[in-house]
Amino acid sequence: MSDFNGYVQTDGYAGYNFLDRTRHLRCLAHVRQYFVDSLKNSSYKASKSFRGEIVKAIDEVFELERKLSVKFNDDERLNYRRRKLLPVVKQVFPKISSVTASAKSALGRAKNYALGQEKHILNIFEKGYFELSNNSAERAVVGIQGQT
């Protein structure tokens, strides 16, 4: 498997890094979840905090993605994403970078995780058929594991 040359989408687990000739894609939903978790018991929808704003911005990206026409081919999807989604994504990471937080705090862990995934998240905008999230693949793996 280490000779695989292509794209692979995973969460940020470092165990996948052995695929060194591979273009890694990461999962925007995992980045979002770190910020949701950092809110503790607060509702991000009601939150005016930095954390809540990051979650809302990522939600905006997913909402724009839902507006994609199923009739779009890969080139049209890529063009739409680059025009509508990419500017929002590119605004999120500088905001995340600007916050000061202890690396051991929930916000610090969310910040460090997100910034570690940034370049791999941006790789999603290289092809129209890539997904913003690997959640469907993870659900499929869990389903397969449950059948054995």
Side-chain angles (χ1 to χ4, degrees):
M1 184 74 165
S2 65
D3 62 343
F4 174 76
N5 187 7
Y7 292 88
V8 64
Q9 186 171 33
T10 63
D11 58 22
Y13 175 60
Y16 299 117
N17 292 342
F18 75 94
L19 299 167
D20 55 352
R21 295 186 336 186
T22 304
R23 296 279 293 171
H24 290 268
L25 311 174
R26 293 295 196 249
C27 176
L28 193 57
H30 281 83
V31 171
R32 179 188 181 279
Q33 190 60 50
Y34 269 81
F35 284 95
V36 168
D37 292 347
S38 77
L39 283 163
K40 300 194 185 335
N41 296 328
S42 303
S43 167
Y44 69 88
K45 291 180 180 179
S47 177
K48 298 205 183 313
S49 71
F50 168 81
R51 298 168 179 136
E53 294 303 315
I54 295 299
V55 173
K56 289 174 192 174
I58 294 172
D59 285 351
E60 179 184 348
V61 172
F62 281 109
E63 182 58 34
L64 289 166
E65 177 76 1
R66 281 189 280 280
K67 292 180 180 179
L68 272 170
S69 172
V70 294
K71 297 177 186 174
F72 280 3
N73 64 36
D74 290 340
D75 291 335
E76 292 167 327
R77 180 175 289 111
L78 182 60
N79 184 39
Y80 172 87
R81 285 178 172 168
R82 285 180 173 169
R83 283 185 300 108
K84 300 287 186 176
L85 282 68
L86 188 56
V88 178
V89 170
K90 284 189 171 185
Q91 289 175 353
V92 168
F93 287 101
K95 286 181 186 177
I96 293 170
S97 183
S98 72
V99 73
T100 302
S102 165
K104 293 184 178 187
S105 70
L107 178 56
R109 287 190 302 274
K111 174 186 176 178
N112 292 336
Y113 181 83
L115 294 179
Q117 306 312 306
E118 180 180 8
K119 73 178 183 176
H120 304 298
I121 296 288
L122 295 175
N123 288 343
I124 293 169
F125 296 93
E126 292 180 8
K127 306 280 184 188
Y129 53 86
F130 291 152
E131 299 293 331
L132 296 176
S133 164
N134 71 335
N135 284 349
S136 61
E138 287 187 355
R139 282 191 298 275
V141 169
V142 169
I144 291 169
Q145 290 174 346
Q147 296 175 7
T148 59

